[in-house]
Amino acid sequence: MLDHVRQGTRLGWTICVSVTLTVMLLQIGTAVAQSADTSEKEIERYRAMISDPFSNPGYLNVDRGELLWKQAAGTKKVSLETCDLGIGPGKLEGASAAMPRHFADAGRVMDLEQRLLWCMENIQGADTKDVIKRRFSGPGVSSDMEDLVAFISNKSSGLKISLRNDHPKEQEMLAVGEAMFFRRSSISDFSCATCHAEEGKRIRLQGLPNLSKPGKQAQETMGSWPTYRVSQSQLRTMQHRLWDCYRQMRMPAPDYASDGITALTLYLNTQAAGAEINVPSIKR
């Protein structure tokens, strides 16, 4: 009889502890979810506070980019104002909204930074080694390319991302970009899709958009680059964003202005078709 009582007591304690742990885990899960929601709301509130152009240091890059666009340079001592970004020489409004795109004179699909390098070399007769070396700004290092991209992209603010993708080389590049997005590789066996192909994922306090399907999340993401990164005190382009993603996935760093990055950007911008452009934006 005493043994039965003891067994019953132990069973009762086991059930009690199990129920208590279950309740605690549910409470923790609820608290974590509420904390995540609160953090996301606070991040959005912070962004709204500094979204005004007078609070966004990225507009300084826009101003410097305009000066660089009009500045004579290279062996030919001419400016970039005759550079054709896809809608006619010197025309900027809407140009970045339709890139990457195929350029017949180069026989390639190019993103904005590739095209600017091409124009520097072919129109200005410039040696772009220093521009490429300073492709990303840092302490004491300015980037002409980041400034130019900020200026040109800002000319498409308020317009919508609209890619045609009707040239065979654009279609080929789009297929390559999609394959790259889902391709797992390197020591971590990661791909872009590891973080950006499911709903509700986050890293630290940052929500991760699902970029694997067309729609709002892809639109809000791609319509906001280039952006001023508060945590880095620098303006960053999509080239830098993708370079940093590969770094975090422990993959070999992609070459600057490579066809691979252009293909991936083409895929992401296609997913974001119809997005309203608002640049330079500002992010953590």
Side-chain angles (χ1 to χ4, degrees):
M1 175 69 72
L2 189 58
D3 289 341
H4 287 302
V5 172
R6 289 171 176 167
Q7 289 175 3
T9 301
R10 284 197 295 268
L11 178 60
W13 274 108
T14 301
I15 293 172
C16 182
V17 170
S18 178
V19 170
T20 301
L21 286 174
T22 300
V23 171
M24 288 176 64
L25 288 172
L26 288 172
Q27 290 175 337
I28 291 171
T30 301
V32 169
Q34 290 175 343
S35 176
D37 290 341
T38 301
S39 297
E40 194 67 30
K41 289 177 181 178
E42 288 301 310
I43 290 172
E44 289 303 318
R45 190 169 72 91
Y46 166 72
R47 286 174 179 162
M49 290 169 58
I50 56 178
S51 61
D52 186 274
F54 293 103
S55 303
N56 185 346
Y59 282 90
L60 297 175
N61 297 84
V62 173
D63 292 340
R64 289 194 293 266
E66 182 175 9
L67 295 176
L68 289 168
W69 177 256
K70 298 177 179 179
Q71 178 180 298
T75 58
K76 300 180 182 179
K77 300 299 180 184
V78 296
S79 72
L80 288 168
E81 292 173 288
T82 59
C83 177
D84 186 352
L85 298 177
I87 56 175
K91 295 183 179 180
L92 302 179
E93 288 77 7
S96 65
M99 295 178 78
R101 66 185 301 161
H102 179 262
F103 289 89
D105 53 6
R108 297 172 59 194
V109 176
M110 295 176 169
D111 75 346
L112 178 54
E113 285 163 87
Q114 280 183 315
R115 186 60 179 176
L116 284 170
L117 289 173
W118 188 91
C119 285
M120 289 175 185
E121 293 167 357
N122 290 274
I123 293 177
Q124 295 181 312
D127 184 345
T128 57
K129 289 180 182 177
D130 180 62
V131 174
I132 294 173
K133 183 179 179 181
R134 295 184 294 107
R135 60 196 180 277
F136 305 140
S137 57
V141 179
S142 63
S143 170
D144 291 354
M145 192 58 75
E146 287 176 346
D147 294 343
L148 282 165
V149 170
F151 166 64
I152 295 167
S153 298
N154 177 253
K155 291 295 185 180
S156 292
S157 276
L159 303 179
K160 297 184 184 299
I161 293 178
S162 179
L163 280 68
R164 296 179 62 176
N165 292 343
D166 54 0
H167 192 280
K169 289 190 177 181
E170 291 171 344
Q171 295 167 9
E172 179 185 21
M173 193 70 90
L174 178 60
V176 170
E178 182 176 11
M180 289 179 65
F181 182 85
F182 289 100
R183 186 179 187 275
R184 303 173 74 98
S185 185
S186 194
I187 58 174
S188 298
D189 195 33
F190 271 21
S191 68
C192 301
T194 303
C195 292
H196 295 288
E198 293 181 32
E199 304 295 329
K201 281 193 169 184
R202 66 174 55 244
I203 180 169
R204 297 181 291 276
L205 296 178
Q206 188 71 33
L208 297 172
N210 183 350
L211 304 177
S212 67
K213 61 181 182 181
K216 182 179 178 181
Q217 293 185 51
Q219 290 173 340
E220 289 180 346
T221 299
M222 300 307 293
S224 62
W225 287 85
T227 188
Y228 182 83
R229 298 297 300 268
V230 175
S231 58
Q232 300 175 19
S233 300
Q234 306 291 344
L235 181 127
R236 296 307 188 194
T237 67
M238 182 51 58
Q239 283 273 346
H240 183 277
R241 175 65 273 175
L242 295 178
W243 169 85
D244 199 37
C245 282
Y246 274 99
R247 179 189 65 82
Q248 293 180 68
M249 289 190 288
R250 305 298 187 267
M251 291 188 184
D255 290 340
Y256 179 70
S258 65
D259 287 340
I261 293 300
T262 296
L264 189 51
T265 303
L266 179 62
Y267 170 72
L268 294 173
N269 275 355
T270 299
Q271 298 292 82
E276 182 173 335
I277 298 170
N278 180 22
V279 293
S281 65
I282 191 163
K283 299 182 187 291
R284 63 171 181 81

